[in-house]
Amino acid sequence: MVKLQTISAEWEACTALSAVQDALYVLNGKWKLPIIVALSSGNKRFNELQKTVKGIAAKVLSHELKEMELNGFVIRRVHNTTPIAVEYELTDYSNTLGNVVDALREWGTMHREKIRSQLKKEVV
């Protein structure tokens, strides 16, 4: 006989898994969060973004920005100047990722220090 408590725990785990998969689907890849962090200091033009996010190809950046715009994280503003200037800025919705970015930054710092201390122990 299956206990109600077991079914509830399995349901919660399944729900949590679905929510994490949804988040990873939207934020997939290694570039979306770095782009968000780069734009958090202010609006940037395409070339500025490419210089800030080291190692990203122009084609990849363009693709990522289009996906981020579709998901409501970025606004593309076209300024009617000569030559035409295009700027990217974060939406208010992108601010909902603040805790996620902070948690990843803290974990990344902790992990980097852990690896460094392990390497130092191996060298000594």
Side-chain angles (χ1 to χ4, degrees):
M1 180 190 243
V2 178
K3 294 181 180 180
L4 186 58
Q5 192 175 27
T6 303
I7 293 172
S8 177
E10 288 176 8
W11 178 259
E12 286 179 29
C14 187
T15 302
L17 180 60
S18 292
V20 168
Q21 287 174 320
D22 289 346
L24 290 175
Y25 178 78
V26 172
L27 299 171
N28 69 335
K30 67 180 190 176
W31 298 113
K32 286 187 179 73
L33 288 174
I35 291 168
I36 288 172
V37 171
L39 286 172
S40 68
S41 64
N43 302 353
K44 289 189 175 28
R45 293 177 68 166
F46 187 90
N47 288 337
E48 291 175 302
L49 257 177
Q50 192 174 13
K51 287 176 187 171
T52 304
V53 181
K54 305 263 189 261
I56 190 168
K59 186 175 180 178
V60 174
L61 178 57
S62 177
H63 176 76
E64 296 293 278
L65 287 167
K66 286 176 187 172
E67 279 191 9
M68 293 171 72
E69 190 175 7
L70 286 172
N71 283 300
F73 295 119
V74 170
I75 295 172
R76 181 179 185 265
R77 297 226 188 262
V78 179
H79 300 285
N80 200 11
T81 58
T82 305
I84 291 177
V86 178
E87 275 189 334
Y88 295 90
E89 67 180 90
L90 294 178
T91 63
D92 289 339
Y93 181 62
S94 66
N95 292 330
T96 63
L97 293 170
N99 291 339
V100 173
V101 172
D102 288 344
L104 284 170
R105 179 185 46 77
E106 288 175 23
W107 187 87
T109 301
M110 181 269 313
H111 181 69
R112 180 174 293 189
E113 289 304 315
K114 176 183 181 279
I115 297 301
R116 282 184 180 159
S117 68
Q118 286 177 344
L119 290 173
K120 286 179 184 176
K121 287 177 186 176
E122 290 175 10
V123 172
V124 174

